[in-house]
Amino acid sequence: MESLRDCNTSSSTTSTPAFHTLRQARRATLNRVFAAVYSCAILALLYHHAHKLIHSTSLASFFISLSLFISDIFLAFMWVTRQSFRMNQVYRSEFPEKLKEVVNESDFPALDVFICTADPYKEPPMSVVNTALSVIAYEYPAEKVSVYISDDGGSQMTLFALMEAAKFASHWLPFCRKNNIVDRSPDAYFASNHTPCSETEKIKIMYETMKIKVDNVLERGKVDDDYIIGEEERTAFTKWTNGFTRQDHSPVIQVLLDNSKDKDISGHLMPSLIYVSREKSRTSPHHFKAGALNALVRVSAIMTNAPVILTLDCDMYSNDPQTPIRVLCYLSDPKIQSTLGYIQFPQKFHGLNENDIYACEYKYLFIANPAGMDGLSGPNYVGSGCFFRRRALFGGPLTMISPEIPELNPHHVVDKHIQSQPILELAHKVAGCNYENNTSWGYKIGFKYGSLVEDYFTGYRLQCEGWKALFCNPKRPAFLGDVPISLVDGLNQCKRWAIGLLEVVFSKYNPMIFGTRNIGLLMGLAYAHYSFWPSWSIPTTIYAFIPQLALLNGVSIFPKVSEPWFFLYGFLFLGAYGQHLLEFVLEGGTIQRWWSDQRMWMIRGLSCFLFGSLEYLFKHLGIPTTGFNLTSKVVDDEQSKRYEQGYFDFGVPSPMFVPLVMAAIINLAALVRGLTEAFMGRKLEELFVQVFIAGFVVVNSAAIYEAMVLRSDKGRMPIKTTSFSIFLALALYVLFSLTLRN
């Protein structure tokens, strides 16, 4: 098996043009100047708060001043940590055509692809099939590619779908080669404006037939005998006995394609395709996705042990067949190869509606911020679309940690056939649920345990060990994925992130301490910005209720319009939002999507960040919680129609909607009270800031009012949620009013 070192040697023995370039963002200097000015303004604001706090004349005024002080401390902290992304943004370009002219295909390193799925009903098998086929069809030597599917749900329906995909691949791969197809996910290709011809229609009929069979099996909930062809398939499904459940079963490893012998209809070898369902037991911890990935690291080490690993979510298909060649543009550079741990591509999505109402694009998380971290030590790992050096999972660049058996060593050369009995026996052993006991897996080697956000935690820990990373963002997206099309799915996903991030904050690996000590101040602040995301709930909740409740009681808590401090508030607000808008547009966004993005940050602060923080607290107090939830990738037709039309979907009841409705009601009432005061010519100068904040929240809550009052479809706000929220809003108003009077 060729190593990365072999690839380097081939590309560096002669004088060759650069395979990649780097340029710094022109706005970096302006960002630094603005940061200095804005920091002075923040210090002035905190001084103003401290002064008011010291000179409070009553318990109520002290409480309000303290609340605003705490709120602005959190906002200031999050703003400061965010500046780490803006200090040295860089942009990279790769030249894969130049590399192919210099490096022989025979010198390309082998590639293992990991695709993870866990529930056939939330992550449809056809989505897994399309992702698998898109990477099987890479423009890369087939004998060097092995695709591993981790099925943590242990579903025979998923295995059946992949068996059908393996058969279809023998027709799909030659079709893509012959017609120079770029969209190598069949679903994406047939949905595009492809050129119709008899050959295309023939392959499309084959795909639709496969899809019908897979959907029928999924609907039945099992694979009936009439769908099984051949003794080999029948033997594979005998493992699903009556005692086989998704939480308790023995390991299943099935080689569906073997790149040493299986050929397509044109006589070309096809990449290997291996189904893996690790052993599960109700009495053994399984560590969610990180545990599944580590099982794949071990199984793949036994079977192929490629020096490069690509991790993908099951709904994140390849959108560019030359992506591995782009990666080699960096891996074959001897100047950076020794410390290069991984190369992260941005997560981009298809199917976003025009204004991205749920802000699922996450332009900062997946594009702007990684470019800023790339100018430091490299971007964070975001769970999908990432190419790892296998060696990076086994200790730092200078201190390799050897695994417990030599066959798992990243430098081990596999010299047996992947379907030989010794290989399969050892692969089943390392996929066992108790194999990791008394080993370093998940703690010193492999993907890291200790947080629900295993991607963030693993990338962070690898960089603390001394590895560097690169951000590769080509014009044509390398990968495209699905997005949640209901609000509750998007919020549940974000709540899971919030819990995982807090697990990092309250561990010995806190980025403010452990991070800054090991990777430097700016990188530590960058990782701290993410880990403290849930703290957005504190200032958001305070600013969503306290100024408005004070306004309803006719109490002014901000400077008058005629006072100098008012202009400080104006500068801080306009400066933050103006910079946010400018960056968003410069990264290719629109003003409408920027508005959706800032609106969703307010919504998340009052819902998933707040509830994620509470769930983390309850968990550590021993109070039962709902636990880990997958984000559904199943698309409901009515739900999809509402999403395309730009309507928020509140149809699935959730306690996370209650604070949103409460804030909408209280802010609307406060705005009416403030405008009434203005119309009557009283106190407008004193209450202007509070009226503005209430109006800002009301405008951002338009979708909530619409769902509460105007809509009659299934996506409207549940009546029980509205009624309960109104009751709580009234109770909060009464309690606040009594506090002011006392």
Side-chain angles (χ1 to χ4, degrees), residues 583-602:
E583 286 183 333
F584 196 91
V585 172
L586 288 175
E587 293 295 347
T590 64
I591 293 178
Q592 292 84 356
R593 287 193 173 186
W594 168 79
W595 181 262
S596 297
D597 186 79
Q598 64 84 28
R599 175 179 59 197
M600 277 305 300
W601 276 105
M602 294 175 59

Side-chain angles (χ1 to χ4, degrees), residues 115 117 124-133 136 147-151 155-169 210 214 233 237 254-257 273-277:
I115 300 172
T117 185
M126 282 308 299
S127 179
V128 184
V129 163
N130 275 277
T131 299
L133 288 170
I136 287 174
V147 179
Y148 293 83
I149 310 295
S150 168
D151 179 15
S155 167
Q156 57 180 301
M157 290 92 78
T158 301
L159 175 58
F160 174 77
L162 292 167
M163 286 179 171
E164 293 299 304
K167 300 169 190 174
F168 178 73
M210 172 180 67
V214 171
E233 288 188 4
F237 288 111
Q254 191 72 28
V255 179
L256 305 176
L257 288 175
L273 178 62
I274 301 109
Y275 171 90
V276 179
S277 183

Side-chain angles (χ1 to χ4, degrees), residues 308-370:
V308 182
I309 293 172
L310 165 62
T311 64
L312 283 177
D313 286 340
C314 65
D315 63 329
M316 187 70 62
Y317 67 83
S318 170
N319 189 54
D320 183 357
Q322 290 205 53
T323 297
I325 311 298
R326 289 188 179 277
V327 171
L328 291 189
C329 290
Y330 298 107
L331 292 181
S332 40
D333 185 348
K335 296 179 181 177
I336 61 175
Q337 193 263 346
S338 63
T339 58
L340 180 57
Y342 61 88
I343 298 169
Q344 178 68 61
F345 286 79
Q347 287 196 25
K348 295 187 178 182
F349 306 95
H350 63 91
L352 289 169
N353 64 9
E354 183 180 1
N355 295 331
D356 186 19
I357 56 172
Y358 301 138
C360 292
E361 189 177 25
Y362 284 102
K363 191 171 286 292
Y364 284 92
L365 173 62
F366 294 138
I367 299 176
N369 292 352

Side-chain angles (χ1 to χ4, degrees), residues 290-438:
L293 285 169
N294 280 336
L296 286 185
V297 172
R298 295 192 297 273
V299 170
S300 65
I302 300 301
M303 303 183 82
T304 50
N305 209 30
V308 182
I309 293 172
L310 165 62
T311 64
L312 283 177
D313 286 340
C314 65
D315 63 329
M316 187 70 62
Y317 67 83
S318 170
N319 189 54
D320 183 357
Q322 290 205 53
T323 297
I325 311 298
R326 289 188 179 277
V327 171
L328 291 189
C329 290
Y330 298 107
L331 292 181
S332 40
D333 185 348
K335 296 179 181 177
I336 61 175
Q337 193 263 346
S338 63
T339 58
L340 180 57
Y342 61 88
I343 298 169
Q344 178 68 61
F345 286 79
Q347 287 196 25
K348 295 187 178 182
F349 306 95
H350 63 91
L352 289 169
N353 64 9
E354 183 180 1
N355 295 331
D356 186 19
I357 56 172
Y358 301 138
C360 292
E361 189 177 25
Y362 284 102
K363 191 171 286 292
Y364 284 92
L365 173 62
F366 294 138
I367 299 176
N369 292 352
M373 296 177 78
D374 198 11
L376 302 173
S377 295
N380 57 309
Y381 169 42
V382 295
S384 186
C386 188
F387 288 80
F388 286 90
R389 286 183 61 199
R390 184 181 290 267
R391 165 65 183 84
L393 300 173
F394 293 83
L398 303 177
T399 55
M400 177 178 162
I401 299 175
S402 296
E404 57 284 352
I405 58 175
E407 290 86 351
L408 297 179
N409 191 295
H411 302 306
H412 172 71
V413 177
V414 179
D415 55 3
K416 295 183 179 66
H417 191 268
I418 62 171
Q419 297 197 65
S420 66
Q421 195 62 28
I423 291 291
L424 289 176
E425 286 181 0
L426 188 53
H428 279 79
K429 178 182 177 181
V430 300
C433 60
N434 294 317
Y435 179 81
E436 294 182 351
N437 293 349
N438 302 314

